[in-house]
Amino acid sequence: MAATVVAFAPAAAGWRGIGRPRAARDQPPATRWRHCPSASSGSSSAAPESAPPPPAAAPAPATKEFGGGPITAPPAVVSPSPHDASDAMDWWKDAVVYQIFPDRFAPDPAGPPLGVQLDAWGASPTIRSFQGGSLRGITAKLDYIESLGVNCIYMTPVFLSTANHRYHPSDFLRVDPLLGGEAALRELVEACHARGMRVVLDGVFNHTGRGHWAFASLLDAQEQSPYRDWFLPKSFPVVAYGVERYEVNYECWWDLPDLPKLNFDNPGVQAHILDVGAHWLKEFKVDGWRLDYPGEIPPAFWREFRERCRAEQPHAVTVGELFGVRPQDVGEGGHFDSLMNYSFGTCALGFAGGTADVQLAQDDAIGGEYVVKALDGPGFRSAYTDVLQAYESAFASGGA
């Protein structure tokens, strides 16, 4: 029997991140799946009655030249949502988001900065290695990215950091020079906007790295540091190096010495992060934030953060990295516009790996709510329908 390709196609919210844009609040709940032509036979099953009728003929694939050869982009599977020009957030409903890890995506066409030590491009990665990917490398590949049907780029952190993934931030107001610095980010954003593409940055504001300038002040000046209360020391002297996990004498994310937690009871910390959020929207015209592990920061702060962002760019999106089904946290009644769709991820992993021969174990770095269970086809449909109905119910009651 031919397999059926299933594409989740909410008409009122981008399925890549759960949460309804403001425009969607006036629209009825959408049918959440559409049966598409079979990959093996070309046959299709009937769409639900509430789904719009399929087009008479699929659009011709677009072909572009890149890297010396043609690339054929397949026709879109998800139909565009109704456009509402009155809503600045309307673009997010149909955002096709492409995630990029800058250090490993593409090297700078002009070569690496002078005098730096890098692993060979494409070498087997190690935990501390850098390979020299850059923002200008991404800009040079926009033809390729656009050919995939992408209209939004989300990059993992680009700010100064001692880690190749840059989730150990040293300065939220400086783009890492290894990536090309502020000039390269500005070039990338302008090039994306010229193509009608958006750019979302990754904000890691729950913690810093040990190299952050305020934490360096704490390590050097100890009790006398002006930034002592930006962090959460348990005793003095604060020791950040040569200490094992769970033996650290300051609050860290998951007790990792590399990641000292910021103290969000401190008004200076709050003001700094609010200024950071506004700065990159105002000065560089980025289109929003994906917010890393925000659950340990009070929701009231995130509501204020979103308002500051909207004051600079009314269309700016905020996407929270929250686990589980959380309709109370999104929409105008919540504090984010959207969430990382980990609820879909657990269902998809359970379906892809859900056989008796595969053990689906969770990594403790993921978080306790990210539990993968083996699912067959009907189980997948049932599990993800439960997720969608939770958000639909919240929307219907005015909560999301």
Side-chain angles (χ1 to χ4, degrees), residues 13 27 34 111 149 179 197 235 314-315 341 367 400:
Q27 299 175 11
R34 181 174 304 132
L179 295 177
M197 298 169 68
S235 61
H315 70 269
N341 205 347

Side-chain angles (χ1 to χ4, degrees), residues 6 35-36 38 64 68 103 105 142 163 193 205 215 230 248 291 297 301 306 342 356 365 387 399:
V6 179
H35 295 283
C36 301
S38 164
K64 296 190 176 185
D103 185 64
F105 182 72
L142 286 179
H193 287 174
F205 302 138
F215 194 72
W230 277 39
V248 189
L291 297 162
I297 297 171
F301 173 81
R306 181 167 68 174
Y342 292 144
V387 173

Side-chain angles (χ1 to χ4, degrees), residues 242-320:
V243 60
E244 297 296 325
R245 186 180 182 185
Y246 304 116
E247 297 178 6
V248 189
N249 68 339
Y250 52 91
E251 293 288 338
C252 332
W253 186 76
W254 283 47
D255 291 302
L256 295 168
D258 314 55
L259 304 175
K261 288 183 64 174
L262 285 165
N263 176 16
F264 273 83
D265 289 332
N266 185 302
V269 169
Q270 293 187 32
H272 179 60
I273 300 304
L274 291 172
D275 288 345
V276 168
H279 170 77
W280 297 101
L281 292 163
K282 179 180 180 180
E283 302 298 333
F284 288 76
K285 308 303 181 187
V286 301
D287 300 290
W289 289 97
R290 180 266 191 188
L291 297 162
D292 185 70
Y293 209 80
E296 296 180 358
I297 297 171
F301 173 81
W302 291 124
R303 282 191 286 272
E304 186 174 1
F305 183 91
R306 181 167 68 174
E307 290 307 310
R308 279 289 300 273
C309 290
R310 287 179 177 178
E312 298 298 341
Q313 297 272 26
H315 70 269
V317 68
T318 55
V319 183

